[in-house]
Amino acid sequence: MTRKQKYVILTVLILAATGPALYLLSRSRTFQCFGKIVYRLDTDKKVVALTFDDGPTERTDTILRILDRYHIKATFFLTGKEMLGHPQGVRVILAAGHGIGNHSYSHRRLMLMSPGEIRKEVDVTDSLILATGYKGRIYFRPPYCKKLFYLPYYLSRTNRITATWDVEPETGNMHDADAILQHVKDNVRPGSIILLHAMYWERNATLQALPHIIEWLQTNGYEFVVMN
Ligand SMILES: [Zn+2]
């Protein structure tokens, strides 16, 4: 048995033995075992961070056009693999002045990977982002918000910060633009980090809701900040 197989089996055994508690810990948006996790911006001001996960894809331009129409900036948590597949998408995001975060290389559940694989997922994607000339802080957002011990440990050891969110309007509303908008209206508050997915075709409702979300936030005095 290889070291990697032993590590994965050990992780599964620990998960099985400790059950729901560890499961809840692994998907917590507000707590991790090591290092810093940001799920809200530390401010009383009426600001929000719009964050888009995954991509870039062929839909990047469509999202950017909407943001541009309202003169706002957002943060894009990109995967290394998709950055390689759509280098033009990365360039236009950067050129428009948006923030970029690291959403792993392959978008697999890092929790069940070996330490070496986890380091690679983080480092390769950071290198790809840095190679674009990006100067901002690069937050790390785990795919599916899944993290247990080694990922937070490694991020904290390398002075990286985990970024999650406090408003997830698509959960339970993936195909309902009105419900997505309503969830934002009901839950946003100063400093909120809003999680959105608009990079794939099955996320049409989010794309449809996006202009309305922005308009409602602007009408209610919110400004948009980049996480960097
Ligand atoms: Zn994702």
Side-chain angles (χ1 to χ4, degrees):
M1 199 185 291
T2 65
R3 243 179 93 192
K4 186 200 152 186
Q5 284 169 328
K6 280 184 197 158
Y7 179 84
V8 170
I9 287 172
L10 189 67
T11 309
V12 171
L13 283 178
I14 291 172
L15 278 174
T18 51
L22 218 54
Y23 172 73
L24 288 176
L25 171 67
S26 76
R27 61 194 295 260
S28 172
R29 282 188 283 112
T30 56
F31 178 81
Q32 63 183 13
C33 295
F34 304 94
K36 196 171 170 193
I37 186 164
V38 172
Y39 60 98
R40 291 180 37 75
L41 306 169
D42 187 16
T43 178
D44 298 329
K45 293 194 187 128
K46 272 194 144 179
V47 296
V48 291
L50 282 190
T51 64
F52 293 91
D53 276 15
D54 313 332
T57 66
E58 63 286 349
R59 292 197 115 182
T60 308
D61 288 334
T62 314
I63 302 170
L64 292 187
R65 267 199 298 276
I66 297 173
L67 300 178
D68 196 45
R69 200 191 306 158
Y70 296 96
H71 310 290
I72 67 164
K73 306 292 178 212
T75 307
F76 290 83
F77 285 89
L78 305 176
T79 68
K81 200 174 171 182
E82 287 171 307
M83 286 179 74
L84 289 178
H86 296 269
Q88 177 60 15
V90 187
R91 280 196 287 273
V92 289
I93 289 170
L94 263 180
H98 299 290
I100 295 184
N102 181 338
H103 195 37
S104 84
Y105 181 82
S106 68
H107 206 278
R108 287 160 61 204
R109 282 175 170 71
L110 303 189
M111 205 174 88
L112 294 176
M113 289 176 143
S114 69
E117 285 177 313
I118 291 174
R119 288 196 295 272
K120 219 161 136 189
E121 289 275 338
V122 175
D123 292 347
V124 171
T125 306
D126 259 15
S127 304
L128 288 170
I129 296 171
L130 290 170
T132 65
Y134 186 66
K135 296 278 186 279
R137 176 194 291 280
I138 304 169
Y139 286 88
F140 186 84
R141 179 172 278 171
Y144 315 101
C145 200
K146 284 289 200 181
K147 66 228 156 321
L148 207 48
F149 301 119
Y150 188 75
L151 176 62
Y153 169 73
Y154 181 60
L155 294 174
S156 114
R157 212 186 72 191
T158 51
N159 295 315
R160 289 168 163 111
I161 299 175
T162 306
T164 57
W165 57 86
D166 67 332
V167 180
E168 48 178 310
E170 297 154 325
T171 304
N173 302 321
M174 205 175 119
H175 302 294
D176 186 342
D178 291 337
I180 292 172
L181 171 64
Q182 193 59 45
H183 185 98
V184 174
K185 289 181 182 178
D186 292 343
N187 293 281
V188 76
R189 54 194 176 109
S192 279
I193 299 173
I194 303 174
L195 169 70
L196 296 169
H197 297 80
M199 285 286 180
Y200 304 116
W201 294 106
E202 67 269 24
R203 298 298 193 146
N204 268 333
T206 297
L207 208 55
Q208 225 180 311
L210 184 57
H212 303 289
I213 291 173
I214 299 169
E215 279 170 28
W216 187 86
L217 288 168
Q218 286 186 330
T219 306
N220 285 275
Y222 281 96
E223 284 179 15
F224 295 82
V225 293
V226 169
M227 294 186 71
N228 63 10

